[in-house]
Amino acid sequence: HTLPALTRAWKLQARASTVGFDWNDARLVLDKIREETAEIDEALAGGDKAAIHEEIGDLLFVVANLARHADADPEGCLAAANAKFERRFKGIEDALEAEGRTAKDASLDEMEALWQAVKKREKATG
């Protein structure tokens, strides 16, 4: 119970797989992810905060299972995604600062365009 929640989910699912309670193809896990996102959509439409939280938890649990099927550490994947987000958002802030503005001064559309430009530069430079 002292493990981070994503790691614990990964280990719980790994243990269940030892007795055959598992999908045999990662694409089937993706189907379950789609099912969970539909359930989140329903919960959001209903506005029941407890149901929304439960469905988000279910989604995260299934995503940890996808990581296991892909032989990927979910904590490492999330840490890398966090770092990528921080780097790209800093790119937005830097671009706006060069214009004498802040993110609070920009519209969502402007920030999205800057995000895409940062992303494109990253892909071009590897």
Side-chain angles (χ1 to χ4, degrees), residues 48-68:
D48 180 346
K49 197 167 197 161
I52 294 166
H53 290 191
E54 180 179 344
E55 296 304 338
I56 290 172
D58 290 349
L59 175 62
L60 291 169
F61 190 80
V62 177
V63 168
N65 201 13
L66 178 60
R68 184 180 63 82

